[in-house]
Amino acid sequence: MASYTYKVKDMCLEHVFECGQTFRWNSVSCEKGEYYEGACQGYAAKIFLHDGILRVDATGGTEEFWHNYFDLGRDYGELKSILSGKHSTLDKAMLEGYGIRILNQDYFEMLISFIVSQNNNIPRIKKCIEALCNTYGEVIEGTDLHAFPTAERLSALTVDELMKLKLGYRCSYIIETAKRYLEVGMPVAKDTAALKKELCEYHGVGPKVADCIILFGLSRVDAFPIDVWVKRIMNDLYGFDLNDLKGMQAKAREEFGDIGGIAQQYLFHYYRS
DNA sequence: GCGCAGGGGGTCG
DNA sequence: CGACCCCCTGCG
């Protein structure tokens, strides 16, 4: 069991784990307060944050790995100052969600997780992903947690098998996606628009899911996922028609530049809470 | 209590 | 633009 500590600013565990970017971390209450337990990249971990000190107790991963996972190399204070004054609602959202950070998560896990998320709600998304991990993911030694399943494992399943996990019509998307991922691998570096187009070729991946994968799985903070909440936000803030996705995308680029994904997370969190 | 719409971080045909 | 697999909620 490795233990690492980091001095952090602009961070709150609840903001990080409950803003909808990840589905595998759960809060645990104990006498000393609250911590989060979960898994990523085949490592199980407990995450504590008190008085500006982040502590990671994990079954593996280097100090650099967790530093990168929590995006500690990015100065969110600086980002907030860049975004401040752009809109009074965003200013409020940044105060409310001061401790949001975009996790650097596994690409394949994000690919599958956000396919599961379509036309679905967060509690059930978490259940579905937990079922996927518990059924098809390797046990993480010394814990009762499971790693996210590999593409090899998922690609070998039949729809009938996967249907048992109550994933509904998403089953075929998941299997096809795992197969395709094994063929094409990670996307090569290119501009975000081209990435989005490439991702939309996966069955079950549309514009919204593609942007989530780009933002959370490829760490491109210029991606600006537009879901029903963001539609409402863009309507409230700038008066966009609810189905004018193009207009919203353009406005996000104009207002937030290449950190639209960061602004999106603050706004999304603010509207949901 | 129970049955039945309604809708959920969309996408496909 | 309607259907969708499933689950949870609210309402009669």
Side-chain angles (χ1 to χ4, degrees):
Chain A
M1 180 72 80
S3 187
Y4 304 113
T5 57
Y6 308 87
K7 198 165 181 296
V8 295
K9 287 187 297 183
D10 306 296
M11 182 165 190
C12 164
L13 295 185
E14 190 199 332
H15 294 165
V16 170
F17 291 125
E18 313 280 359
C19 70
Q21 61 176 322
T22 182
F23 305 104
R24 293 219 62 203
W25 295 95
N26 294 301
S27 73
V28 181
S29 301
C30 65
E31 312 90 56
K32 285 185 252 172
E34 190 187 40
Y35 66 93
Y36 277 80
E37 188 169 39
C40 69
Q41 292 288 143
Y43 310 128
K46 292 183 171 128
I47 313 297
F48 307 83
L49 177 57
H50 297 292
D51 304 322
I53 302 293
L54 175 71
R55 190 176 104 229
V56 179
D57 290 351
T59 61
T62 61
E63 180 167 11
E64 291 72 23
F65 171 82
W66 293 104
H67 186 275
N68 178 61
Y69 184 72
F70 287 106
D71 208 21
L72 299 183
R74 205 190 296 273
D75 183 350
Y76 281 75
E78 172 71 16
L79 297 181
K80 280 186 267 192
S81 71
I82 291 170
L83 292 172
S84 81
K86 300 221 177 264
H87 195 287
S88 58
T89 303
L90 178 56
D91 287 341
K92 277 187 261 175
M94 290 192 290
L95 289 176
E96 172 100 12
Y98 67 92
I100 288 174
R101 308 185 76 87
I102 308 270
L103 297 170
N104 289 304
Q105 301 185 79
D106 180 72
Y107 170 71
F108 180 69
E109 180 174 336
M110 293 300 99
L111 190 55
I112 300 297
S113 296
F114 280 94
I115 285 176
V116 171
S117 82
Q118 64 166 81
N119 194 21
N120 214 338
N121 52 55
I122 291 174
R124 199 167 84 91
I125 297 166
K126 290 184 89 165
K127 265 186 194 168
C128 289
I129 292 175
E130 193 182 357
L132 268 175
C133 294
N134 289 344
T135 311
Y136 300 113
E138 293 281 322
V139 177
I140 300 172
E141 206 182 320
T143 73
D144 51 1
L145 295 173
H146 293 243
F148 196 84
T150 63
E152 287 80 1
R153 188 80 170 92
L154 293 181
S155 69
L157 299 173
T158 65
V159 172
D160 285 345
E161 280 176 281
L162 206 45
M163 276 291 184
K164 292 177 191 148
L165 303 191
K166 315 286 186 190
L167 295 160
Y169 60 82
R170 301 170 192 82
C171 289
S172 60
Y173 298 163
I174 291 169
I175 296 167
E176 278 182 46
T177 294
K179 286 181 181 162
R180 183 177 168 83
Y181 170 78
L182 286 177
E183 287 166 17
V184 305
M186 295 264 294
V188 294
K190 50 177 84 166
D191 65 82
T192 300
L195 270 179
K196 186 168 175 178
K197 201 174 168 192
E198 184 177 329
L199 282 170
C200 284
E201 285 170 23
Y202 281 94
H203 208 39
V205 176
K208 188 272 176 182
V209 167
D211 275 328
C212 284
I213 296 163
I214 293 168
L215 178 57
F216 304 128
L218 294 169
S219 310
R220 298 280 197 100
V221 293
D222 59 330
F224 188 80
I226 300 178
D227 54 43
V228 286
W229 290 95
V230 177
K231 284 179 191 173
R232 286 171 202 155
I233 291 165
M234 296 304 276
N235 173 264
D236 278 3
L237 269 54
Y238 306 109
F240 280 98
D241 189 282
L242 285 175
N243 45 38
D244 181 13
L245 292 182
K246 281 211 145 142
M248 294 180 193
Q249 285 285 0
K251 183 66 177 175
R253 170 66 61 172
E254 178 195 327
E255 284 293 298
F256 314 130
D258 58 0
I259 53 173
I262 307 277
Q264 192 266 17
Q265 286 292 286
Y266 289 124
L267 289 168
F268 180 77
H269 179 264
Y270 181 65
Y271 264 65
R272 298 229 34 184
S273 57

